[in-house]
Amino acid sequence: MNKGISVFTMVISLATVACTGGSGEYASSEKNFLHVDGHNIVDSKGDTFYIKGTNLGNWLNPEGYMFGFAKINSARKINEALCELVGPTEAARFWQEFKDNYITSADFEFISSTGANTVRVPFHYKLFTNEDYMGLNDAEEGFRRLDSCVVWARNNNLRLILDMHDCPGGQTGDNIDDSYGYPWLMTDTVAQEQFIDIWAKIADYYADEDVILGYELANEPVATYWEGAERDSLNAALEPLYKRAVAEIRKHDANHIVLLGGPQWNSYFGNFTDWTFDDNIMYTCHRYGGDATREAIDEYISFRDKTNLPMYMGEIGHNTDEWMSNFVDVMRQNNIGYTFWPYKKIGDSSMTGVQAPEEWGSLVEYVEAPRTSYGEIREARKLCSQQQGRALLNEFIENAKAEKMLRHDNYISAIQLNK
């Protein structure tokens, strides 16, 4: 049963953290970076670190279904819909307040209380550029948001995986990368240079930050929609791009693990031929659906054994409690760490939920209505007025706050973070 979680009262002083280095096991003056050691991740003392945690999906890379939308499912399209309903200024205000309140220190405190040790933070590349992103043109916004995560993680004994979920040009070719319907990153040299440059800046900025477990270069590259020679060509472009990015990262940062995902939703690894070009890389897979058995991930395990590098299940979930619990058993038995997707959204199948405002359906109707012409936009706005839209967006933000979010205890129990 869902129930409201208690009010969190922890207040973090950034000034204190800056002076003392925070609190918890990572707060000492000695750095405690994680690195790969065969199939394992180990800390500076040689102790094994087994990843178990969650994903902050929707916060820095909005996805439609987490708001209850179906057709309008990428950040760009959601923002366009809101700009047409409440105006660009009001939409930009909403997104800033959304980022300020959807994930806070209280959320990290709660995540830690479940037994998690890792938080994967998906982010949009535009947060590190001056390109317009949700009404903001500020290349420092990404660092501000991730800086907050570093403080919150340090104070709650959590590690961070920084995941570029939306890459320049689009690495996937579907809504999850906010692209234009094709994995242009694999073919566009300008996008590739921007991709590498952003990672170099991130690596330079966070080179000495040991709360960060590592950098995940590109989430779920090359979706499953391409076949034959085109798919093979796109897949073949991935490893060379990874190598170039890692080489640039190492000019600035020799400390952090770099995580590499396979094409076809992080499920295929046959395109990789060289896993010795760097001594601190590992691979990451995803799994949704299918049987909760070892056989379901046998290819991942085989690739892990062949490379003698760690394999990590970056995303898994959206299934029954029994399925998730059984899959956790399989992953633990085969030394594959995991972060379940996602932490918070409207609806269930997540650690926590956002209670949809009572009239939220009106906003959903508007967003899903045809809006391909100005006439259609005017017709769609009859389904939800500007005033109602503003009120519903404000109520959504209030409901998403940690003190009001819903706690899905059965889900939390199923993913076994406390073991």
Side-chain angles (χ1 to χ4, degrees), residues 307-319:
T307 62
N308 193 34
L309 294 171
M311 179 63 78
Y312 148 65
M313 184 72 73
E315 290 183 23
I316 189 169
H318 288 322
N319 216 304

Side-chain angles (χ1 to χ4, degrees), residues 223-291:
T224 56
Y225 308 123
W226 293 274
E227 300 178 345
E230 184 176 27
R231 176 200 60 206
D232 294 344
S233 176
L234 292 169
N235 286 357
L238 186 59
E239 188 172 58
L241 179 60
Y242 279 165
K243 286 184 175 182
R244 290 170 56 202
V246 172
E248 192 63 32
I249 286 170
R250 292 302 181 222
K251 293 178 182 179
H252 307 272
D253 181 349
N255 295 319
H256 287 102
I257 298 171
V258 177
L259 297 88
L260 309 176
Q264 285 75 69
W265 310 124
N266 276 30
S267 69
Y268 177 67
F269 295 89
N271 59 300
F272 296 122
T273 61
D274 181 8
W275 36 87
T276 63
F277 65 90
D278 187 83
D279 62 4
N280 206 20
I281 59 171
M282 60 182 284
Y283 290 88
T284 173
C285 58
H286 291 176
R287 182 74 181 186
Y288 292 100
D291 296 329

Side-chain angles (χ1 to χ4, degrees), residues 150-306:
V150 166
V151 173
W152 302 335
R154 184 178 298 281
N155 280 273
N156 289 285
N157 296 326
L158 295 166
R159 297 281 188 166
L160 299 174
I161 294 174
L162 308 187
D163 155 43
M164 190 182 287
H165 218 75
D166 312 75
C167 299
Q171 77 282 3
T172 295
D174 203 17
N175 67 290
I176 62 166
D177 67 1
D178 200 28
S179 70
Y180 291 94
Y182 193 81
W184 297 109
L185 179 63
M186 301 302 127
T187 62
D188 186 332
T189 57
V190 174
Q192 290 174 2
E193 291 301 324
Q194 186 179 29
F195 169 76
I196 293 169
D197 181 62
I198 292 171
W199 271 120
K201 290 177 180 176
I202 292 172
D204 184 63
Y205 188 90
Y206 289 116
D208 295 324
E209 183 47 72
D210 60 347
V211 166
I212 295 172
L213 184 155
Y215 309 133
E216 185 173 340
L217 297 189
N219 173 71
E220 295 187 345
V222 190
T224 56
Y225 308 123
W226 293 274
E227 300 178 345
E230 184 176 27
R231 176 200 60 206
D232 294 344
S233 176
L234 292 169
N235 286 357
L238 186 59
E239 188 172 58
L241 179 60
Y242 279 165
K243 286 184 175 182
R244 290 170 56 202
V246 172
E248 192 63 32
I249 286 170
R250 292 302 181 222
K251 293 178 182 179
H252 307 272
D253 181 349
N255 295 319
H256 287 102
I257 298 171
V258 177
L259 297 88
L260 309 176
Q264 285 75 69
W265 310 124
N266 276 30
S267 69
Y268 177 67
F269 295 89
N271 59 300
F272 296 122
T273 61
D274 181 8
W275 36 87
T276 63
F277 65 90
D278 187 83
D279 62 4
N280 206 20
I281 59 171
M282 60 182 284
Y283 290 88
T284 173
C285 58
H286 291 176
R287 182 74 181 186
Y288 292 100
D291 296 329
T293 63
R294 184 196 188 282
E295 288 71 25
I297 57 173
D298 189 59
E299 291 185 14
Y300 304 161
I301 295 169
S302 296
F303 183 74
R304 186 269 310 274
D305 293 344
K306 179 170 68 172

Side-chain angles (χ1 to χ4, degrees), residues 270-409:
N271 59 300
F272 296 122
T273 61
D274 181 8
W275 36 87
T276 63
F277 65 90
D278 187 83
D279 62 4
N280 206 20
I281 59 171
M282 60 182 284
Y283 290 88
T284 173
C285 58
H286 291 176
R287 182 74 181 186
Y288 292 100
D291 296 329
T293 63
R294 184 196 188 282
E295 288 71 25
I297 57 173
D298 189 59
E299 291 185 14
Y300 304 161
I301 295 169
S302 296
F303 183 74
R304 186 269 310 274
D305 293 344
K306 179 170 68 172
T307 62
N308 193 34
L309 294 171
M311 179 63 78
Y312 148 65
M313 184 72 73
E315 290 183 23
I316 189 169
H318 288 322
N319 216 304
T320 65
D321 294 339
E322 180 182 13
W323 184 94
M324 294 191 296
S325 182
N326 289 341
F327 225 131
V328 169
D329 290 340
V330 170
M331 290 186 290
R332 286 179 177 273
Q333 290 161 9
N334 291 280
N335 192 26
I336 294 179
Y338 60 90
T339 46
F340 270 78
W341 180 277
Y343 165 64
K344 183 189 292 187
K345 67 179 182 66
I346 278 184
D348 52 13
S349 71
S350 53
M351 286 180 69
T352 65
V354 179
Q355 180 65 53
E358 186 174 349
E359 301 297 326
W360 191 250
S362 298
L363 182 64
V364 174
E365 274 192 276
Y366 156 76
V367 168
E368 301 290 82
R371 289 178 294 100
T372 57
S373 69
Y374 287 103
E376 288 181 339
I377 293 171
R378 290 189 290 272
E379 284 299 310
R381 292 174 74 247
K382 294 177 182 179
L383 300 169
C384 184
S385 69
Q386 296 178 39
Q387 293 75 17
Q388 185 182 24
R390 292 192 190 100
L392 288 170
L393 292 173
N394 289 336
E395 188 175 353
F396 177 92
I397 290 172
E398 286 300 311
N399 290 353
K401 291 179 178 179
E403 60 266 26
K404 291 188 178 181
M405 68 187 183
L406 304 174
R407 170 172 160 168
H408 300 154
D409 287 324

